[in-house]
Amino acid sequence: MAQAGKGRLNYRCPMCFMRDLDIDMFYDKDKDEYYCIRCQYVGNEEDVLKRNEVVRMKYGSMMKRYKMEDF
Ligand SMILES: [Zn+2]
C-alpha cells in the first residue's frame, strides 16, 4: 500500500456517519485524498467537507437529541 497516515486534520467518513458510524479517515499523501478503511470511500478534502455538510443538514434534527450528552 502507498504511503498513508493521518492527515493534518481528522475527518470522519461521511458515508459511515450516515450509518451512525464515527470513523476517522486516513490520508493518502500521494493522491491528496482521504479514504475510509471501512466502506471504501475515497475523496479529496473538498469532497469530504461537502459530504459532511450534506450529512449534517440531513441529520441535523436527529443530532439535537444527543446535544445534552455531548456537553
Ligand atoms: Zn466509511
Side-chain angles (χ1 to χ4, degrees):
M1 191 176 268
Q3 266 195 352
K6 292 279 185 181
R8 286 158 297 164
L9 296 165
N10 282 352
Y11 291 118
R12 72 160 62 94
C13 174
M15 307 309 264
C16 287
F17 190 51
M18 282 173 76
R19 301 183 195 117
D20 284 337
L21 296 169
D22 197 354
I23 308 292
D24 279 345
M25 289 190 295
F26 285 89
Y27 178 62
D28 189 328
K29 290 187 187 112
D30 293 336
K31 293 178 187 165
D32 191 28
E33 282 176 342
Y34 289 85
Y35 65 92
C36 176
I37 52 169
R38 194 180 174 100
C39 74
Q40 316 296 315
Y41 167 77
V42 179
N44 61 22
E45 186 172 2
E46 189 187 356
D47 191 53
V48 172
L49 291 173
K50 204 163 59 189
R51 287 176 188 272
N52 265 323
E53 196 61 39
V54 170
V55 173
R56 235 196 312 262
M57 284 191 293
K58 203 170 177 180
Y59 288 83
S61 54
M62 257 173 66
M63 294 304 287
K64 277 176 191 164
R65 272 193 297 158
Y66 301 110
K67 276 257 166 68
M68 291 298 280
E69 287 170 17
D70 289 340
F71 291 112

